[in-house]
Amino acid sequence: LAAQREVVKTWSVADHVKEMNYVFGGKDPAGRHIPNSGDLIAQYLLLIQSARTRSDLPTVLDSTDHYASIVLGTRDLGTSALRSLRRRADAFVADELQGSLELRFVGDYWEVSRGTDVLASDQVRMTLSSFLLIIPLVGLFLRSWRLTLLCIPPNLVPVAALCLMGFAGYPLSTGRSVILPVT
């Protein structure tokens, strides 16, 4: 994940082990690596776990020590780039690690990007329902085709703008997806 161009920084329990190896290795710059000895790694993990309340370890390792996280720092990718990163990570786990890990993307950024897809489909559904349900009712109650036509642009403009932006290759971020229909 750290090698992906979209990722600015990663942090995991492996980084804790590397730091322990660095500290106990005499702060030799070559010491920032995971040691080859399983016993040494186990000792480092025991030391790290004993300091759990005084470190950021709970952000990368759960309290039962069964699940570990890799925290990613990314730039503002947009929904399609984030989904592409997810597909590449899934492919890596399946191909290189023979599916030995369960990979889950979580967090606010992931949920917001998933929400962007929902916003887009909701906007299309709402526009269609406006044309099929609301506009005929407005025409019936107002009994004016001019006033009925005035109801169309506020519903059509956001969808048309999002479609044009998408076709033009302009990245559709969550902010744009929310602000455009509101304005």
Side-chain angles (χ1 to χ4, degrees), residues 145-166:
W145 64 271
R146 287 182 185 173
L147 291 176
T148 303
L149 289 178
L150 285 175
C151 296
I152 295 173
N155 290 298
L156 189 60
V157 169
V159 172
L162 284 171
C163 288
L164 288 174
M165 289 169 64

Side-chain angles (χ1 to χ4, degrees), residues 51-120:
R52 178 183 292 274
T53 58
R54 294 183 196 98
S55 75
D56 65 343
L57 187 65
T59 63
V60 293
L61 192 64
D62 78 323
S63 60
T64 64
D65 298 329
H66 287 92
Y67 303 101
S69 299
I70 301 172
V71 179
L72 297 179
T74 63
R75 57 185 178 81
D76 186 10
L77 304 176
T79 302
S80 61
L82 185 60
R83 290 194 181 278
S84 174
L85 176 64
R86 171 64 192 261
R87 283 190 300 274
R88 290 192 313 271
D90 285 337
F92 178 82
V93 168
D95 298 341
E96 301 295 324
L97 303 176
Q98 290 77 38
S100 61
L101 297 177
E102 180 183 343
L103 181 66
R104 286 187 236 161
F105 273 41
V106 296
D108 294 339
Y109 190 57
W110 177 251
E111 293 302 322
V112 166
S113 74
R114 288 180 53 209
T116 302
D117 292 339
V118 173
L119 282 173

Side-chain angles (χ1 to χ4, degrees), residues 123-138 151-152 154-156:
Q123 185 67 34
V124 170
R125 268 198 335 258
M126 288 169 38
T127 302
L128 290 175
S129 70
S130 293
F131 280 110
L132 297 175
L133 298 173
I134 297 172
I135 291 176
L137 287 174
V138 168
C151 296
I152 295 173
N155 290 298
L156 189 60

